[in-house]
Amino acid sequence: MARRRPVLVAVRLTPGESADWRAKAKAAGVPLSALIRRAVARTRTWTARAAEVERERTRQVSRIGNNLNQIAKWANTHKGAAEAVEVLARLVAIERALGALARFENPERDAH
């Protein structure tokens, strides 16, 4: 027997959104309310501290991407005369950025 759910939560939608949600529920073979409960249950939320960790992680990944782009540009410019020392220095910079990123790998661990 299904568990009784006496609390109603209202959500305002456009007619298109409502049609999309209902189509998704039908395709999944569940009532719309069950689809919404499942979707919300899978949604990850963060505390303010964890949100800052996510922002820092994004900044670190951006820096790594910038370093990789610089290495690619340099390598394409100097195809025949690649200076191993400069390439290694840039790779060390990436390694350091990855190390900094690893500190933010598990924000829940730091919250306890």
Side-chain angles (χ1 to χ4, degrees):
M1 185 171 169
R3 184 171 68 188
R4 181 139 168 76
R5 294 184 169 90
V7 178
L8 174 67
V9 176
V11 178
R12 294 188 184 272
L13 303 171
T14 65
E17 289 169 330
S18 177
D20 288 345
W21 286 19
R22 290 180 192 288
K24 287 179 182 182
K26 184 176 181 181
V30 297
L32 179 58
S33 59
L35 179 75
I36 293 168
R37 279 192 301 276
R38 290 177 187 175
V40 170
R42 286 190 307 264
T43 301
R44 182 175 178 192
T45 58
W46 295 294
T47 63
R49 181 171 181 217
E52 179 55 36
V53 168
E54 288 299 313
R55 281 190 288 277
E56 180 59 26
R57 182 178 296 171
T58 300
R59 283 190 287 269
Q60 292 293 331
V61 169
S62 177
R63 289 178 185 135
I64 292 167
N66 288 338
N67 283 339
L68 289 172
N69 285 336
Q70 290 171 5
I71 291 170
K73 181 180 177 186
W74 184 87
N76 286 325
T77 302
H78 301 80
K79 288 180 183 175
E83 293 290 331
V85 174
E86 186 170 345
V87 171
L88 289 173
R90 295 207 182 213
L91 290 173
V92 167
I94 291 171
E95 183 180 31
R96 286 183 184 145
L98 287 171
L101 181 61
R103 288 194 309 261
F104 300 104
E105 193 169 306
N106 188 354
E108 286 79 21
R109 179 191 67 211
D110 298 334
H112 296 287

